[in-house]
């Protein structure tokens, strides 16, 4: 079988027929590339939360039908590329919450409908949005594109979209910007007013936006030596060395770059810092001098290459090619397929004698200063060197999806211009440095997915590194991820923070009142940690907060009485904690609320220590402990509600008929509670709308099996998909 398959690349063949429905059963599959074939039929709709799929590509085929709505459950999905098919229908609402989506390419199909007008999650993470040559209509939600940091490409032409592209978005077309630059923007300017677009009308380009030419870069005081042009491959010349030894370069780098009182004379010759210096002095054909403005920058990037084993990188790290054991050749050029656009992009290899601003993943402004580093999913191996902090103008650092270990260097707190730090999906561990709070301009911090995250890389020497183990080595035991009180009192130093992604770590401590000072915070995802706290009152001050994920921690006491003041709140996840009290009345004022997860409340206590439970602590979810009271009739106010999970709580009363007004309701788990009576007709009618799926199970749970095997059901329900015995708590599918 193919149950362990991770990568399926069948691009540019002559495959025909349909895509197998069972492909969604291969949970380990991460990369699926079927571009440029002749396949037909519907795209399989058999995906769920357990799928690890990151890259789904099926462009340039003849697929028909709608986009598979279940693909919206694939929480790791980053790239969705289905351009140039015959697909129809609208964008499934399930896609709006794809938390990792970066590239969405739907161009040249037959899609219809409006783009979502509410502030959905996927707007914030997108880098590429290509929906041209369809029949999308309605207002383009321009307001959600003004605050995103990473969008580089937007193609909207040949649709029926209307509205006005704002000056704030047009300002990002400035070529002097670095990673925040919007490189491409197209629209039907007769419908969607735009002063900075490549404009179309009736499918034809009528004008091309030309950004103003930036002023010339200042001339360096000391002219740079002539760079020898290298044709691939070229034998590296033997460079003269005596003058370089006394050039002052070593002293310059020691005084301006090296951290933690380090000196080259104290280093082993295999130390990455020593190797980077040796490369600068003797192997780099650029032959920089101590007066060159980019000396420190170039050294730091070289240090990253040596520290993180660039010879093992997936793309653009192999700078040498050996014809035989005596000949060394230099490789400069590399080509990488952009998984979003499908285009082949040309870059320069790290440690080649080219401008470091052309190295793959480096993003520079027009003055040649590195503003961003994006080496996502490139098999980087090792510890982040503290010297990276000396990239003083760096705004964006994305090293997620690699095999990094160690902790986050404290020196990153010195990076005054840093806006975005993304190192999620690695094997980091240790104390989260308090110094990071000093990076006060941070708007996005993502250090999630370090605990129990397994990804394997292979070093250039052939040894394996797996992120699930400490330092990547099985001999060290399992990695317990990042620790510390990350949401303590200093959190309010991040006054511009919009996204805190801290989940799947071992963070402890409390939720401080100061978190209420983060007035721009939109996402708070700290689930699956060991945070031991009540919900601070200050949390209710966060008017822009849309998602609160605090499930699987040690949160106790009640939900905030004033939670209704958080008017943008869409998703509350407090399940698998130790919380009690009633559901506050103000919660029913959250008109944008879509997901309410309060289920499986835990009752914890001390037990006898054993070999299998050395902590002497045990937690169980029962219907005797947790949230109390009953659901109010005001639940009908929550018309966008799609998921309600309240199982394993001592809730009482009956289900109000007003729940029938929640027509988007797709999942209701109310089993193992003390809710009695029967399912109102208004609720059962929702089974003909969204409270359903093709499988028919796992959607609507209640205690509707014969109680204690022989008695009448505790809750009468003839429209539930799954029924549980209120006494024995055994559940089976009933639909």
């Amino acid at each position: 079988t193919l149950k362990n398959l991770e990568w399926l690349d069948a691009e540019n063949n002559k495959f025909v027929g349909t895509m197998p429905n069972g492909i969604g059963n291969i949970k380990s599959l991460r990369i699926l590339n079927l571009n440029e074939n002749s396949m037909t039929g519907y795209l399989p709709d058999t995906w769920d939360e357990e799928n690890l799929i990151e890259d789904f590509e099926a462009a340039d085929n003849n697929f028909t039908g709608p986009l598979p709505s279940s693909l919206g459950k694939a929480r790791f999905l980053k790239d969705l590329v289905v351009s140039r098919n015959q697909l129809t229908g609208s964008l499934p609402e399930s896609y709006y919450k794809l938390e990792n989506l970066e590239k969405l390419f739907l161009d040249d199909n037959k899609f219809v409908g409006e783009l979502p007008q509410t502030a959905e999650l996927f707007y914030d993470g997108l880098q590429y949005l290509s929906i041209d040559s369809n029949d999308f209509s309605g207002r383009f939600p321009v307001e959600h594109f003004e605050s995103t940091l990473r969008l580089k490409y937007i193609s909207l032409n040949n649709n029926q979209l209307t509205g006005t592209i704002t000056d704030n978005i047009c300002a990002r077309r400035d070529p002097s910007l670095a990673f925040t630059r919007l490189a491409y923007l197209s629209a039907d300017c007769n419908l969607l007013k735009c002063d900075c677009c490549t404009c179309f009308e009736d499918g034809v380009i009528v004008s091309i936006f030309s950004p103003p030419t930036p002023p010339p870069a200042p001339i360096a005081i000391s002219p740079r030596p002539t760079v020898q042009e290298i044709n691939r491959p070229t034998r590296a010349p033997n460079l003269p060395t005596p003058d370089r030894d006394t050039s002052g370069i070593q002293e310059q780098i020691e005084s301006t770059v090296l951290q933690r009182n380090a000196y080259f004379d104290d280093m082993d010759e295999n130390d990455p810092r020593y190797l980077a210096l040796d490369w600068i002095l003797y192997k780099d054909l650029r032959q920089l001098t101590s007066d060159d403005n980019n000396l420190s920058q170039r050294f730091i990037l070289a240090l990253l290459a040596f520290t993180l084993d660039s010879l093992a990188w997936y793309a653009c790290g192999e700078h040498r090619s050996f014809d035989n054991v005596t000949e060394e050749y230099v490789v400069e050029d590399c080509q990488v397929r952009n998984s979003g656009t499908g285009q082949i992009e040309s870059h320069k290899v790290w440690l080649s004698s080219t401008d470091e601003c052309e190295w793959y993943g480096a993003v520079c402004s027009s003055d040649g200063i590195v503003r961003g580093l994006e080496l996502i999913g490139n098999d980087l191996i090792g510890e982040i060197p503290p010297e990276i902090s000396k990239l003083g103008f760096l705004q964006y650092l994305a090293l997620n999806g690699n095999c990094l270990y160690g902790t986050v260097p404290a020196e990153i707190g010195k990076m005054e211009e840093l806006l975005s730090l993304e190192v999620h999906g690695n094997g980091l561990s240790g104390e989260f440095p308090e110094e990071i709070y000093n990076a006060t301009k941070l708007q996005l911090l993502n250090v999630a997915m370090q605990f129990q995250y397994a990804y394997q890389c292979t070093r250039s020497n052939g040894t394996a590194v797996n992120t699930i183990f400490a330092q990547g080595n099985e001999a060290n035991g399992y990695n317990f991820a990042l620790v510390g009180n990350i949401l303590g009192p200093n959190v309010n130093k991040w006054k511009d923070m919009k996204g805190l992604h801290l989940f799947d770590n071992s963070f402890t401590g409390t939720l401080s009142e100061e978190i209420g000072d983060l007035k721009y915070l939109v996402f708070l995802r700290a689930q699956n940690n060991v945070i031991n706290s009540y919900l601070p009152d200050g949390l209710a001050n966060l008017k822009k907060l849309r998602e609160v994920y605090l499930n699987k921690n040690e949160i106790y006491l009640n939900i905030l009485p004033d939670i209704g003041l958080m008017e943008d709140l869409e998703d509350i996840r407090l399940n698998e904690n130790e919380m009690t009290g009633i559901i506050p009345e103000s919660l029913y004022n959250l008109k944008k609320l879509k997901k309410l997860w309060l289920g499986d409340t835990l009752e914890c206590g001390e037990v006898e220590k054993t070999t299998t439970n050395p902590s002497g602590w045990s937690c169980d979810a029962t219907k005797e402990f947790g949230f109390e009271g009953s659901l109010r009739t005001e639940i009908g106010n929550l018309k966008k509600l799609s998921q309600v999970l309240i199982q394993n709580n001592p809730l009482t009363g009956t289900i109000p008929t007003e729940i029938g007004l929640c027509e988007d309701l797709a999942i209701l788990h109310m089993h193992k509670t003390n809710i009695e009576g029967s399912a109102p007709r208004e609720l059962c009618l929702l089974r003909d709308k969204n409270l359903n799926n093709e499988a028919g199970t796992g959607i609507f749970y209640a205690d509707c099996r014969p109680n204690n095997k022989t008695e009448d059901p505790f809750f009468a329900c003839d429209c539930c998909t799954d029924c549980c015995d209120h006494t024995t708590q055994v559940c089976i599918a009933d639909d």
Side-chain angles (χ1 to χ4, degrees), residues 50-268:
E50 297 181 5
N51 285 108
L52 301 181
I53 188 75
E54 298 176 11
D55 186 359
F56 184 104
E57 300 190 33
D60 296 293
N61 281 280
N62 295 304
F63 290 112
T64 57
L67 289 169
S69 61
S70 64
L71 195 59
K73 300 177 183 178
R75 54 198 177 104
F76 298 109
L77 188 66
K78 293 194 296 186
D79 301 340
L80 176 58
V81 183
V82 291
S83 306
R84 296 173 293 281
N85 281 286
Q86 301 295 318
L87 298 170
T88 56
S90 58
L91 188 67
E93 187 173 345
S94 58
Y95 288 23
Y96 302 169
K97 289 293 185 177
L98 284 170
E99 58 189 40
N100 292 307
L101 191 63
E102 296 177 354
K103 298 173 182 177
L104 182 63
F105 277 74
L106 307 178
D107 50 285
D108 278 305
N109 280 285
K110 299 178 180 179
F111 292 117
V112 297
E114 294 188 357
L115 297 178
Q117 300 297 308
T118 53
E120 302 294 351
L121 171 64
F122 80 107
Y123 286 131
D124 294 280
L126 278 180
Q127 297 185 42
Y128 297 87
L129 176 64
S130 180
I131 60 172
D132 64 85
S133 304
N134 283 285
D135 199 21
F136 287 109
S137 59
R139 175 182 167 275
F140 180 67
V142 64
E143 64 274 13
H144 303 311
F145 291 82
E146 292 191 310
S147 59
T148 54
L149 293 173
R150 300 175 61 184
L151 263 172
K152 301 169 183 163
Y153 182 101
I154 306 176
S155 180
L156 308 173
N157 54 281
N158 300 345
N159 283 289
Q160 301 297 319
L161 297 170
T162 60
T164 302
I165 301 297
T166 64
D167 292 341
N168 287 338
I169 293 178
C170 285
R172 290 181 51 204
R173 302 298 314 275
D174 185 345
S176 67
L177 297 176
F179 82 94
T180 57
R181 184 191 175 202
L182 183 58
Y184 182 81
L185 176 59
S186 69
D188 300 297
C189 298
N190 57 325
L191 300 175
L192 181 56
K193 184 179 179 182
C194 180
D195 296 329
C196 58
C197 289
T198 293
C199 289
F200 286 73
E201 190 170 337
D202 296 326
V204 178
I205 295 178
V206 294
S207 65
I208 298 176
F209 173 71
S210 297
T213 304
I219 299 174
I221 297 175
S222 299
R224 183 175 296 176
T226 302
V227 178
Q228 177 180 341
E229 296 296 330
I230 304 175
N231 295 317
R232 180 185 182 190
T234 302
R235 188 179 303 179
N238 295 319
L239 299 172
T241 62
D243 292 342
R244 304 289 285 169
D245 289 334
T246 58
S247 64
I249 291 176
Q250 176 175 329
E251 292 78 10
Q252 177 78 358
I253 293 174
E254 280 182 340
S255 64
T256 61
V257 178
L258 293 189
Q259 299 293 296
R260 304 179 185 180
N261 299 315
Y263 295 94
F264 288 112
D265 290 342
D266 299 331
M267 296 177 190
D268 181 88

Side-chain angles (χ1 to χ4, degrees), residues 314-329:
Y314 176 71
C316 304
E318 177 59 81
H319 56 277
R320 295 171 298 170
S321 175
F322 297 95
D323 184 58
N324 58 54
V325 294
T326 62
E327 303 286 350
E328 180 176 328
Y329 293 96

